[in-house]
Amino acid sequence: MQRREFLRFCAVSAAANAASTEALAAADAKPHFYTRTRLLDAAGKPMHAARVPAHRTLVFHYPYDATPCFLLNLGRPLETLAKLRTADEHEYEWRGGVGPARSVVAYSAICAHKLAYPTRDISFISFRTERSDRNRHGNVIHCCAEHSQYDPAQGARVVAGPAPQPLAAILLEHDRASDELYAVGTLGGEMFDKFFEKYSVRLQLERGSSTPRTVGANAIVTELEAYCRQQVKC
């Protein structure tokens, strides 16, 4: 089997498509690794990178079963190095997408400002291709709660609004032989501790527990329209 290609978020050279876990751990980006979780489509079959629909907002949960993430195909190769900084001034490097066209990326769907996130009932945050009075950029992840906007083609860099840092990137592993995708960790400023603290009562009611539970070997990927009853547009 071909050695799997890690998401080039990690600080490795552009030529190192077969970078090892050891090399990633030693990189300046200092990724945080969690469970290696295979992404599945709504039918429970492996999600192939080549079949991720372009310009659609897809949702899965990682690294905990209560923390949503966005899976996006931006429809073009993403090979630009983005140097980013967390709210507490830690620098890291994001190096683009995975898949045959290097166009597939993933991010935590928890807004870095006031922790708005997609629920089953409503979502104030999603990927928007169109421009509007409130979204003059287009092709950004836009949180309508306070109008923070993130550029997913640049490591979810903040391009508008009050968010103090980019969305945390979800590290993806691409198996070139099978075209399957795996979530393996995060890069950047995580908001998970604050998330579980802020929403402890809600999570207790919805899940029967507010204790973080890591995901297992598989995670289902769903289109936001199917996952959430209402999307707030702005």
Side-chain angles (χ1 to χ4, degrees), residues 40-62:
L40 306 179
D41 63 21
K45 297 180 180 179
M47 173 68 72
H48 293 159
R51 296 181 182 177
V52 177
H55 311 301
R56 304 286 294 175
T57 307
L58 306 183
V59 178
F60 66 101
H61 288 79
Y62 188 86

Side-chain angles (χ1 to χ4, degrees), residues 129-210:
T129 58
E130 68 279 5
R131 298 185 183 187
S132 68
D133 291 340
R134 287 286 193 173
N135 178 12
R136 59 187 177 85
H137 295 280
N139 294 310
V140 294
I141 297 171
H142 189 160
C143 180
C144 293
E146 299 288 343
H147 299 293
S148 292
Q149 297 175 42
Y150 309 88
D151 185 354
Q154 287 287 326
R157 183 192 303 277
V158 180
V159 295
Q165 66 177 21
L167 297 175
I170 303 300
L171 297 172
L172 296 177
E173 181 183 310
H174 177 233
D175 186 328
R176 287 177 290 180
S178 65
D179 199 34
E180 294 178 4
L181 293 168
Y182 295 80
V184 297
T186 67
L187 181 68
E190 295 181 347
M191 306 298 294
F192 304 135
D193 289 344
K194 293 181 179 179
F195 174 86
F196 282 102
E197 180 181 359
K198 178 173 182 176
Y199 296 112
S200 61
V201 175
R202 176 188 293 178
L203 295 173
Q204 180 71 39
L205 293 172
E206 293 177 348
R207 303 163 62 245
S209 172
S210 59

Side-chain angles (χ1 to χ4, degrees), residues 72 74 78 94 105 107 127 139-141 150-156:
L72 304 172
L74 298 182
L78 303 172
W94 181 88
V105 297
Y107 298 101
F127 175 70
N139 294 310
V140 294
I141 297 171
Y150 309 88
D151 185 354
Q154 287 287 326

Side-chain angles (χ1 to χ4, degrees), residues 5 12 36 38 53 69 72 82 86 93 135 144-145 152 186 188 206:
E5 175 190 355
V12 293
R36 182 174 180 268
R38 182 171 59 171
C69 305
L72 304 172
T86 65
E93 293 182 345
N135 178 12
C144 293
T186 67
E206 293 177 348

